[in-house]
Amino acid sequence: MRPLTEDETRTFFEKLSKYIGENIRLLIDRPDGTYCFRLHKDRVYYVSEHIMKRAANVSRENLISMGTCFGKFTKTGKFRLHITALDFLAPYAKYKIWVKPGAEQTFLYGNHILKSGLGRITESTSQYQGVVVYSMSDIPLGFGVAAKSTQECRRTDPMSIVCFHQADIGEYIRAEDTLT
Amino acid sequence: MVALFPLKSVIIIIIIIMATVEDVLESVTQSQASKYKTIEVQKDIEPQLDLGNLLTVDQNPLDLKKLRGDKEAYLKSQARDNTQLLFNAIWKLPTERVEEAICVKLPETTTVLPREKPIPKAKLQTKWEQYALLKGIQKRKKGRMVWDEEAKDWRPRWGYKRANDETKDWVIEVPGNADPNEDQFEKRMKAKKERVAKNELQRLRNIARGTKSKVPGVGLTPTEKPSKEEVGLALHLAKKSTASLGKFTEKLPKEKEAKHVGKKRKFEPAIGDFKKEKEQQLNIINVMENKKPKMDITKAVNRVMTEVDQEASSDDRRKRAGKVKNRRGPPRKKGSGGFGKKGKAGKGKGAKGMGGKGKGMGGKGKGKGKGR
């Protein structure tokens, strides 16, 4: 377990800011306690300070997880966000997509969102912007990358992809053993 | 006083004597036979014979009664029987006479004996051997004799009276770019010594690799033209090689402190200063924010496009509404309208520049609107 190096923090924040912009400050500077990011076996964990101190007593092979896992660093140094970070991304998300009830199921199975399944989208979403996907009843379902800007979304045909799937809460069942 | 015995009695006596002689002979052969036992041996399981080693392996079960009775005699008889079988087999082999003795050539042994010494370890491959294996380079055997042009004769490639012996040169040409005061003979000797030293170093390095002892890094060995990293590494090591491990060595005026030298990476402690960590992270975020442009061009373009669309749709509505009436009013300039709005939005970053682009984009928007 170790804190992130500068380069790692930079990569990590760049990825996060794609989804929540500058609200990362609210994650770092919390009024209700000190929380920190720690790296353990290539995964980044967001954990409160006193839990982290206790976790420091567990040896490296025996420690499986602590706090919330935000994602992991791949072998080539890129950061990949996992679905377990959704609880922290959803409240601070800048750009959101609401999905029609019919298309919820297909998104939860890991497919991309088509124009026909698009309910609402925040104004002025640029292309390839990180978005958080909600159902029509405002339940966060996962996140993705906008395939088209809001403008283009209005004009395209109903069968084109408007949002690339990145992670969804169906992964808690599908990829149960890889999440920590 | 020899009386003439009756002839009959003499004959009878002779007959009796002969009879007794026969008896004697018989008894002798019998005793002889009883002394030497038969050469036929009866065994339930055939013993395995290894004539090469003169070995007989008898796997017949031992008779427990006889064993308990007279152990020595029983075992001796068993041994005798097995030896008899062995010799029967030996006599079956082709014999030859060697200096009045009958000899037999024993066949190859069939039992596998265990090794006396452990299996020898494979020799560790040298660096060159590994490379040659990788590239598929074969060794080429060089002959001992080489043609010497000067002597017009075949001379050994190396050693006493070798061909092309450099040390025998009594004059060496000074090359054009060399210092005239340099001793060329000295230079040659030095070069030779360096080659020998390099070879020795490489040999020792191969051995060190084999015995898993520490191999000095390549950067430390002297090279003709060290690269920037090698010089840096040498400098770093020179600074550290003091009694107090470089704590008091002063930095040169313009020297930058090397961030990451050496094999081990150093990380912050897991439970360090939290405030400092927070500060660092906030700094990183600030830097990231500063790097991003305050006005996103694509966003501005998109905004212009939305406005153009809205105006176009409101135009359509007005046209439909004002079908009967003639629409009056000054011809609206879409470009200028866009420009005006953009001017307000782009207060930070040079309105003129954005305006120019806005005009261009407005034109595009117009085109799109028409196309639709």
Side-chain angles (χ1 to χ4, degrees):
Chain A
M1 163 159 53
R2 60 170 176 87
L4 299 153
T5 61
E6 268 205 49
D7 295 325
E8 285 167 353
T9 349
R10 215 170 296 130
T11 336
F12 173 50
F13 283 169
E14 268 167 29
K15 200 60 193 271
L16 271 189
S17 65
K18 282 206 177 108
Y19 291 89
I20 58 180
E22 20 168 81
N23 294 334
I24 310 179
R25 283 172 212 275
L26 301 166
L27 278 179
I28 296 175
D29 232 342
R30 277 168 75 136
D32 59 337
T34 6
Y35 280 69
C36 54
F37 292 104
R38 287 288 179 270
L39 198 81
H40 171 66
K41 284 193 185 171
D42 287 333
R43 283 171 197 253
V44 176
Y45 293 96
Y46 183 62
V47 60
S48 73
E49 167 209 337
H50 70 267
I51 291 182
M52 196 264 296
K53 281 188 178 162
R54 278 154 185 70
N57 293 325
V58 181
S59 72
R60 217 173 278 177
E61 314 91 56
N62 293 332
L63 182 67
I64 297 178
S65 176
M66 53 181 178
T68 341
C69 173
F70 261 47
K72 74 174 198 189
F73 278 99
T74 61
K75 287 274 189 273
T76 50
K78 300 199 174 65
F79 183 73
R80 184 177 184 78
L81 260 181
H82 285 179
I83 187 61
T84 38
L86 186 64
D87 290 332
F88 292 98
L89 295 188
Y92 302 123
K94 287 188 114 177
Y95 297 99
K96 308 179 185 181
I97 281 186
W98 283 262
V99 152
K100 287 188 193 150
E104 265 173 39
Q105 182 83 331
T106 168
F107 179 70
L108 290 178
Y109 272 104
N111 300 320
H112 303 303
I113 304 177
L114 306 176
K115 165 90 183 293
S116 52
L118 182 69
R120 262 164 48 201
I121 181 167
T122 34
E123 198 55 54
S124 71
T125 315
S126 55
Q127 197 180 22
Y128 308 132
Q129 171 73 43
V131 293
V132 177
V133 175
Y134 289 83
S135 73
M136 279 328 252
S137 41
D138 272 330
I139 301 174
L141 296 176
F143 37 86
V145 174
K148 297 184 175 351
S149 62
T150 323
Q151 263 313 101
E152 289 177 40
C153 276
R154 292 206 188 109
R155 301 168 200 232
T156 54
D157 62 299
M159 276 295 120
S160 59
I161 298 176
V162 295
C163 173
F164 296 122
H165 166 282
Q166 292 281 61
D168 64 272
I169 50 181
E171 271 175 32
Y172 280 111
I173 300 171
R174 288 202 312 273
E176 198 182 331
D177 40 352
T178 55
L179 295 174
T180 55
Chain B
M1 215 28 129
V2 178
L4 243 162
F5 283 106
L7 197 66
K8 255 195 197 171
S9 58
V10 171
I11 294 168
I12 291 166
I13 289 168
I14 291 170
I15 291 170
I16 292 166
I17 290 171
M18 277 186 71
T20 51
V21 166
E22 277 179 11
D23 285 332
V24 167
L25 281 174
E26 239 189 74
S27 65
V28 163
T29 51
Q30 259 190 9
S31 67
Q32 274 195 347
S34 65
K35 208 166 153 192
Y36 301 112
K37 296 177 197 146
T38 64
I39 61 166
E40 290 163 12
V41 175
Q42 191 51 256
K43 289 266 178 193
D44 292 332
I45 307 171
E46 281 294 321
Q48 293 164 13
L49 299 167
D50 182 7
L51 289 171
N53 277 331
L54 295 178
L55 171 72
T56 317
V57 180
D58 182 13
Q59 286 176 335
N60 289 304
L62 295 169
D63 190 348
L64 288 171
K65 248 199 290 183
K66 284 191 192 160
L67 199 67
R68 272 191 223 116
D70 192 353
K71 202 196 277 184
E72 285 301 311
Y74 176 58
L75 290 175
K76 209 172 180 185
S77 71
Q78 290 290 77
R80 185 256 150 210
D81 287 339
N82 289 328
T83 328
Q84 182 65 61
L85 280 172
L86 185 68
F87 274 96
N88 289 346
I90 289 173
W91 277 110
K92 286 200 188 116
L93 293 172
T95 61
E96 48 193 53
R97 256 206 125 76
V98 175
E99 285 175 9
E100 353 165 309
I102 302 173
C103 288
V104 142
K105 190 163 171 30
L106 293 174
E108 288 286 320
T109 75
T110 49
T111 25
V112 179
L113 293 171
R115 289 180 73 88
E116 179 201 344
K117 296 201 168 57
I119 298 174
K121 276 190 293 192
K123 252 200 307 196
L124 192 75
Q125 280 190 325
T126 63
K127 200 98 187 282
W128 168 253
E129 278 171 359
Q130 289 170 11
Y131 180 75
L133 193 70
L134 188 73
K135 288 276 182 179
I137 300 171
Q138 307 286 359
K139 253 197 220 181
R140 298 235 175 105
K141 179 89 181 159
K142 290 180 179 167
R144 185 167 169 230
M145 296 305 214
V146 177
W147 178 252
D148 188 3
E149 258 316 310
E150 294 171 39
K152 297 271 189 273
D153 193 13
W154 291 93
R155 287 277 146 87
R157 196 186 283 270
W158 37 265
Y160 183 60
K161 283 199 184 145
R162 59 176 170 267
N164 308 322
D165 195 353
E166 271 189 352
T167 55
K168 296 277 189 294
D169 280 345
W170 47 269
V171 64
I172 302 176
E173 256 187 53
V174 176
N177 54 354
D179 177 21
N181 293 334
E182 195 184 10
D183 187 353
Q184 295 297 325
F185 295 98
E186 196 64 45
K187 191 172 159 192
R188 255 197 204 168
M189 287 202 315
K190 275 214 176 117
K192 171 85 181 171
K193 283 198 181 133
E194 257 176 50
R195 288 197 300 269
V196 168
K198 180 183 174 229
N199 193 1
E200 186 63 23
L201 171 74
Q202 289 186 325
R203 183 182 75 89
L204 291 173
R205 227 197 271 154
N206 273 325
I207 293 171
R209 204 186 304 116
T211 57
K212 293 206 174 135
S213 50
K214 293 218 170 189
V215 184
V218 185
L220 289 176
T221 52
T223 45
E224 280 283 328
K225 285 202 178 133
S227 68
K228 187 177 169 194
E229 288 90 30
E230 282 174 355
V231 170
L233 182 66
L235 174 69
H236 170 77
L237 287 168
K239 280 183 77 187
K240 276 216 155 188
S241 316
T242 57
S244 39
L245 293 180
K247 220 164 106 174
F248 302 112
T249 46
E250 287 137 16
K251 262 205 295 204
L252 293 170
K254 281 199 179 176
E255 194 189 334
K256 259 198 293 179
E257 203 195 279
K259 244 210 269 184
H260 179 256
V261 203
K263 284 190 192 167
K264 278 213 163 180
R265 282 176 76 181
K266 268 205 160 178
F267 299 118
E268 298 291 313
I271 305 172
D273 194 359
F274 288 111
K275 278 205 184 122
K276 200 166 146 221
E277 215 183 300
K278 265 194 207 171
E279 261 178 50
Q280 276 179 345
Q281 287 175 343
L282 289 172
N283 275 341
I284 290 176
I285 295 178
N286 285 333
V287 167
M288 262 167 46
E289 291 292 312
N290 290 342
K291 280 206 180 147
K292 271 194 226 164
K294 287 212 173 81
M295 178 148 65
D296 201 2
I297 295 171
T298 43
K299 284 203 180 190
V301 160
N302 283 341
R303 195 177 291 177
V304 169
M305 276 165 55
T306 46
E307 281 155 13
V308 160
D309 284 345
Q310 281 168 5
E311 283 180 10
S313 59
S314 60
D315 261 359
D316 283 342
R317 260 185 250 125
R318 264 196 237 158
K319 273 191 189 159
R320 269 185 238 127
K323 243 189 322 189
V324 181
K325 286 194 229 163
N326 240 348
R327 203 163 42 85
R328 269 185 228 145
R332 288 174 304 109
K333 289 182 208 152
K334 290 185 184 168
S336 60
F339 176 33
K341 287 203 177 137
K342 280 283 299 306
K344 274 191 217 156
K347 55 182 159 127
K349 291 237 168 158
K352 275 191 193 163
M354 293 321 295
K357 280 207 176 132
K359 268 199 185 148
M361 284 307 131
K364 248 200 188 174
K366 251 199 255 176
K368 271 209 170 173
K370 280 193 185 161
R372 209 160 45 100

